[in-house]
Amino acid sequence: MSTNFNVFEAWKDLYNQTSNLYDEKIMESFPSQGIGQILDMNLQFKKWIDETTEKYLELANVPSRKDLANLSSQIVIVDAKVDGLEELLEDKLDGNQPPVSFKKELADLKGEMKSLDKKLNQILSLLKATETKSAE
């Protein structure tokens, strides 16, 4: 990845090209082919921006929305498993059977949930910090 890449220059170049294209197409009374080309160009630019942003976030070691969504779904799955284990534990306790290994497994799962929760909080705080830095 080149360190000499200037986002402002790329944006300025894109703006000039878009402006020229708009001027040309307006002079032709907006034929549908010209509008299609403009839409295609905008979609390609959006795709480029999305890919560039994803690569930047990966290089900066910052989670993307996709990463946070995956983490969130994993937390929901673990939470559902803990709920199922709690129900099973209650059923075992009602049957007067001592669930020694089950209690240990449940305690381990709760520890993992707390660890995941701490990690998610750290990620969210880092995201908030980067948002405030980029807003300045």
Side-chain angles (χ1 to χ4, degrees):
M1 182 171 221
S2 175
T3 58
N4 294 333
F5 181 71
N6 188 343
V7 175
F8 178 73
E9 288 297 323
W11 174 81
K12 185 177 174 184
D13 185 43
L14 177 73
Y15 176 79
N16 289 333
Q17 290 177 9
T18 305
S19 178
N20 291 337
L21 184 62
Y22 280 133
D23 290 344
E24 289 174 13
K25 299 309 171 186
I26 287 174
M27 295 300 173
E28 295 174 4
S29 300
F30 284 109
S32 61
Q33 182 181 7
I35 294 173
Q37 289 174 348
I38 291 171
L39 289 174
D40 186 48
M41 183 183 68
N42 285 337
L43 287 174
Q44 289 176 357
F45 180 69
K46 183 186 181 322
K47 181 180 175 186
W48 177 76
I49 289 291
D50 290 344
E51 290 172 355
T52 305
T53 302
E54 190 170 329
K55 286 178 185 177
Y56 171 76
L57 291 174
E58 184 179 332
L59 290 173
N61 202 19
V62 176
S64 65
R65 288 183 183 178
K66 181 180 173 184
D67 295 334
L68 290 176
N70 288 339
L71 182 62
S72 178
S73 67
Q74 288 177 351
I75 289 173
V76 168
I77 291 169
V78 170
D79 190 36
K81 287 181 180 181
V82 168
D83 288 343
L85 288 173
E86 284 177 341
E87 289 177 14
L88 187 59
L89 177 62
E90 289 173 0
D91 291 343
K92 291 256 185 188
L93 288 176
D94 290 340
N96 293 328
Q97 298 174 357
V100 176
S101 64
F102 188 72
K103 284 184 179 180
K104 181 185 179 313
E105 196 173 326
L106 183 61
D108 291 345
L109 276 174
K110 285 183 180 182
E112 289 177 19
M113 277 293 291
K114 287 180 182 178
S115 173
L116 281 174
D117 191 39
K118 287 178 184 177
K119 288 179 183 178
L120 183 58
N121 286 337
Q122 289 174 347
I123 290 171
L124 290 174
S125 65
L126 285 173
L127 283 176
K128 286 180 184 178
T130 55
E131 285 178 0
T132 55
K133 287 182 183 177
S134 63
E136 293 173 355

